[in-house]
């Protein structure tokens, strides 16, 4: 019975003083997750809106990604002296995953700013806006990873059920990290409007220092340059199992560490500044 | 039963953009009546609401009046839960329907039906409830098969009808409106007014900011006069309006109200 009463209360009563800010921040995150029907609808809606009246729709992205993988694969495969059978699958996963990372970083920064009319008009959990943006980028990622499936069929690569499950676990790890990064960047960028361009240039830099185009082995003795890059671990946790290898234990260890530390920091910031977000807009 | 309690609520905005000094000058030159001051970090802050206490109960139909920058919009947004107060406490019991922007979430490329569904989703109305009411909403818009077409093919009047129908489709417990919905089409106007008044009557508490006294007199049973973010006067419509007029006239004769 008490449980029932609490649920009814949380639906229809809004009291700014009945609990502390950390509880309120936690509730915001839970509410955001609970209203998955809204954010998934809105995320789909964003995609449909972007590609309405185009024949191929989001498959335009698939097509442009295919062209990119093919041309970069030929050139860099030749430069690095790698055979295509080995390099193309590697590149297809890496590029698709990197595109996902770059877009959630970019759009995470501007999510609150872009959704200002909504935030200023209706009380909706802040986390819901983040989930909406994450979801629409995940849908685009799904369209891009199709290239890898094509490449895999051509070269007869089959990661096995275990490999696919492990890759999905890796995707989960990436999403847990993506959500805190987007929430944190969203808050910072709403408060400090000159941060989004900085993030955009950092993303460009990250693309070159992360093994997306080049193979991690090429670093040789200077592997440490890569080990400190969390995006290497997150990509590797998805890429390695799909290519039929086990990810290094370091990939998961660093990925988990990044997730725990990141969420701890983000939650502290979110608890402190959640209610200021609407004021900053 | 719906209820709203505001206890000593304050809302402070910190002004970040531009140089604080010149912004301060700009703001002081304009007729903004919010209170500017410096906080501990030497930032310019605007006190949009200061030590504001208010209790509204079932049956209250409140009109908000006051000059520009008196805090009407801020108060509505605090009631909607958009701005959580910087100090003090607000407690709202009941489902809140904020109607600040008639075109909120209106997507020109989606069909009329999809827009109605989307709008309801923003307010946390579940899909079944919307589908149950869809016929009623569709009938009100008089758009017929147009509802299957993207909103971009609608005329301005049709878009308005759609937005209005979608916005007033939910049963509000607490209804918040910024400015009375300005509707132009005369034939539609009557119908809209009937629907809007029905909509208002179904609500338990209504708060509307409006400059149109006719609207206040017809819809409200109380008027709240805001000045510089605090309650200047709160009471029966005629009484508060009379006091407000006296104040405006006096300020006018002294010169410019400053």
């Amino acid at each position: 019975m008490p449980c029932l009463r609490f649920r009814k209360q949380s639906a229809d009563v809004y009291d700014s003083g009945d609990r502390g800010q950390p509880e309120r921040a936690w509730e915001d995150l839970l509410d955001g997750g609970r209203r998955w029907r809204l954010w998934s609808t809105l995320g789909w809606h964003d995609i449909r809106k972007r590609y309405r009246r185009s024949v191929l729709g989001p498959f335009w992205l698939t097509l442009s990604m295919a062209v990119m993988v093919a041309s970069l694969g030929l050139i860099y495969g030749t430069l690095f002296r790698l055979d295509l059978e080995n390099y193309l699958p590697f590149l297809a996963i890496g590029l698709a995953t990197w595109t996902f990372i770059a877009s959630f970083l970019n759009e995470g920064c501007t999510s609150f700013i872009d959704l200002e009319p909504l935030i200023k008009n209706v009380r909706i959990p802040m986390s819901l806006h983040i989930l909406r943006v994450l979801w629409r980028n995940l849908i685009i990622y799904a369209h891009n990873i199709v290239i890898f499936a094509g490449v895999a069929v051509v070269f007869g690569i089959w990661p096995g059920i275990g490999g696919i499950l492990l890759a999905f676990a890796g995707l989960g790890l990436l999403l847990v990290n993506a959500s805190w990064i987007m929430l944190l960047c969203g808050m910072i960028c709403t408060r400090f409007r000159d941060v989004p361009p900085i993030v955009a240039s950092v993303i460009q830099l990250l693309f070159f220092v992360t093994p997306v185009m080049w193979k991690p082995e090429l670093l040789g003795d200077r592997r440490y340059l890569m080990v400190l890059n969390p995006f290497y671990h997150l990509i590797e946790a998805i890429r390695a199992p799909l290519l039929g290898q086990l990810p290094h234990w370091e990939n998961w260890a660093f990925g988990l560490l990044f997730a725990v530390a990141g969420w701890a920091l983000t939650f502290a910031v979110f608890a402190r500044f959640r209610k200021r977000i609407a004021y900053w807009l | 039963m719906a209820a709203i309690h505001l206890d000593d609520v304050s809302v402070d905005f910190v002004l970040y953009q531009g140089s604080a000094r010149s912004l301060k000058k700009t703001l002081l030159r304009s007729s903004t009546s919010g209170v500017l001051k410096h906080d501990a970090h030497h930032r310019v802050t605007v006190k949009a609401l200061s030590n504001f206490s208010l209790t509204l109960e079932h049956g209250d139909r409140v009109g908000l009046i006051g000059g520009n920058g008196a805090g009407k919009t801020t108060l509505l947004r605090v009631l909607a839960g958009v701005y959580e107060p910087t100090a003090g406490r607000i407690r709202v019991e009941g489902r809140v329907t904020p109607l600040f922007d008639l075109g909120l979430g209106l997507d020109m490329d989606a069909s009329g039906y999809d827009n109605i569904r989307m709008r309801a989703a923003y307010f946390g109305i579940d899909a079944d409830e919307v589908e149950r009411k869809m016929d009623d909403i569709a009938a009100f818009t008089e758009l017929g098969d147009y509802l299957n077409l993207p909103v971009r093919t609608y005329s301005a009047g049709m878009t308005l009808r759609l937005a209005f129908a979608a916005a007033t489709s939910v049963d509000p417990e607490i209804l918040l409106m910024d400015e009375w919905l300005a509707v132009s089409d005369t034939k539609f106007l009557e119908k809209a007014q009937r629907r809007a008044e029905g909509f208002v009557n179904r609500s338990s508490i209504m708060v509307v900011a409006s400059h149109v006294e006719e609207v206040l007199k017809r819809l409200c049973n109380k008027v709240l006069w805001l000045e510089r973010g605090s309650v200047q006067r709160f009471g029966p419509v005629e009484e508060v309006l009379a006091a407000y007029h006296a104040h405006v006239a006096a300020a006018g004769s002294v010169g410019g109200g400053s």
Side-chain angles (χ1 to χ4, degrees), chain A residues 9 11-18 21 24 35 37-38 41-42 45 48-49 52-53 117-124 126 132 191 193 274-276 278-281, chain B residues 11-14 16 43 77-86 88-95 98 100-101 104 107 109-110 114 118 121-124 127 152 173:
Chain A
Q9 273 216 341
D12 280 347
V13 174
Y14 155 59
D15 188 334
S16 72
D18 64 349
Q21 286 301 316
R24 211 158 265 284
R35 292 174 69 176
R37 279 171 67 146
L38 181 55
T41 310
L42 292 173
H45 177 82
R48 276 207 306 268
K49 190 172 171 177
R52 188 165 286 133
R53 301 211 281 176
L118 195 53
I119 294 174
K120 280 207 171 171
N121 277 290
V122 199
R123 188 167 70 99
I124 290 178
M126 289 296 161
R132 165 195 188 159
R191 170 64 184 81
R193 296 300 171 94
R274 181 192 50 83
K275 73 175 188 180
R276 301 301 302 185
Y279 286 75
W280 289 334
L281 286 167
Chain B
V11 170
D12 294 291
F13 286 94
V14 180
Y16 296 108
R43 294 176 302 195
R77 289 199 167 138
V78 167
L79 294 178
V82 169
Y83 292 147
E84 281 182 33
T86 18
R89 178 170 179 174
I90 174 174
R91 183 176 170 85
V92 177
E93 291 164 29
R95 180 154 86 180
F100 301 152
D101 176 5
L104 172 74
D107 177 3
D109 284 310
D114 281 345
M118 185 100 72
Y122 282 132
F123 290 135
R152 67 161 69 256
E173 277 186 286

Side-chain angles (χ1 to χ4, degrees), chain A residues 125-146:
Chain A
M126 289 296 161
S127 57
L128 193 144
H129 304 301
I130 296 296
L131 288 166
R132 165 195 188 159
V133 176
L134 184 59
W135 177 244
R136 76 169 178 234
N137 280 301
L138 190 63
I139 294 170
I140 295 176
Y141 183 35
H143 283 84
N144 281 335
I145 206 76
V146 168

